[in-house]
Amino acid sequence: MKKRTLKNLVSTTVLAGTLVITAFGFVGCGKDSALNITDEDVALAVDEALAAHKDAFNNDTTEVPTSNFATYANSDGWSVQYDSNLVEVTESDDTVAFVYTADCPGTCMMTVSKSDASTAAEARDAIAESWGNGDNLIKSESPLMDTGKDGYWLIQPLEEGGSGLTETVITTTHDNQVFVFDLTTHVGDDEAMNMQISDTMAMIIDSLQFE
């Protein structure tokens, strides 16, 4: 397994960026500057900085947590992939829930259910109405990843000064049934935590396939 740390990545990036800034700083030091630094010089300096950090990067002993990807296949003909180290799947009645189990500043989960609406657009609009049809809601229609199906999107964006809640609903039709994918997450002050939650949950919907 590849070993890496955010510290090493940031260190390399900062050093390379510092060399570039320093080079351009020298170029701008007065009209009579004796330095004639070209783009090639800057590129060479960056390459040398990256090479100097390569060994430290490769020899780092900090383990990156191993992902354990699993596939959930539903009898209604859809499937997704998820990281079973971070997500637990539960089924009840006609709803499947993918619950994020690591640290989260609030509810972080995706549910999949069926709607009685005649079309996916009607299902999406009914949910928007239940949310109060606020001016901040975002509605759109676009292809649903690479499934070959149309997706009808409803987004409750992050509210400044609010609870950190964001919610995205995607409705689509398969085999004459309307499905509702409802992703709820909370954003906190820990950017690393937020990114892990976002990446983990986005992977689920991005991997959606239909038979």
Side-chain angles (χ1 to χ4, degrees), residues 121-134 137 139 154:
E122 289 180 5
R124 185 270 314 271
D125 293 343
I127 295 171
E129 183 176 356
S130 72
W131 289 2
N133 279 325
L137 297 183
K139 288 184 180 181
L154 175 65

Side-chain angles (χ1 to χ4, degrees), residues 1-193:
M1 180 183 64
K2 179 66 176 177
K3 302 174 181 178
R4 67 181 294 180
T5 64
L6 183 60
K7 176 182 177 183
N8 279 338
L9 180 60
V10 170
S11 176
T12 302
T13 304
V14 169
L15 178 55
T18 300
L19 287 170
V20 172
I21 293 170
T22 302
F24 280 109
F26 282 143
V27 170
C29 288
K31 296 180 180 179
D32 299 325
S33 174
L35 293 176
N36 183 18
I37 299 177
T38 66
D39 290 342
E40 289 76 12
D41 294 326
V42 173
L44 178 60
V46 172
D47 288 342
E48 290 176 348
L50 294 174
H53 280 66
K54 184 176 181 180
D55 290 340
F57 179 84
N58 289 334
N59 295 328
D60 179 46
T61 58
T62 303
E63 297 284 341
V64 172
T66 302
S67 297
N68 186 20
F69 297 122
T71 299
Y72 172 85
N74 188 268
S75 59
D76 284 320
W78 59 271
S79 64
V80 295
Q81 292 185 327
Y82 64 99
D83 187 344
S84 61
N85 285 343
L86 298 173
V87 175
E88 179 180 350
V89 182
T90 62
E91 297 175 299
S92 61
D93 299 328
D94 291 327
T95 300
V96 182
F98 298 84
V99 182
Y100 186 80
T101 56
D103 290 339
C104 183
T107 300
C108 296
M109 66 186 297
M110 185 180 79
T111 61
V112 186
S113 58
K114 289 183 284 189
S115 171
D116 293 331
S118 299
T119 66
E122 289 180 5
R124 185 270 314 271
D125 293 343
I127 295 171
E129 183 176 356
S130 72
W131 289 2
N133 279 325
D135 294 337
N136 62 329
L137 297 183
I138 301 171
K139 288 184 180 181
S140 64
E141 295 86 37
S142 64
L144 184 55
M145 276 61 78
D146 61 352
T147 63
K149 298 182 178 296
D150 291 327
Y152 294 81
W153 303 66
L154 175 65
I155 300 174
Q156 172 70 70
L158 183 66
E159 181 180 352
E160 186 175 355
S163 65
L165 169 68
T166 63
E167 187 167 3
T168 299
V169 166
I170 310 168
T171 61
T172 194
T173 304
H174 175 66
D175 197 21
N176 296 318
Q177 298 182 96
V178 176
F179 290 88
V180 178
F181 297 82
D182 189 345
L183 175 61
T184 301
T185 61
H186 280 79
V187 175
D189 297 328
D190 188 326
E191 290 301 325
M193 179 189 298

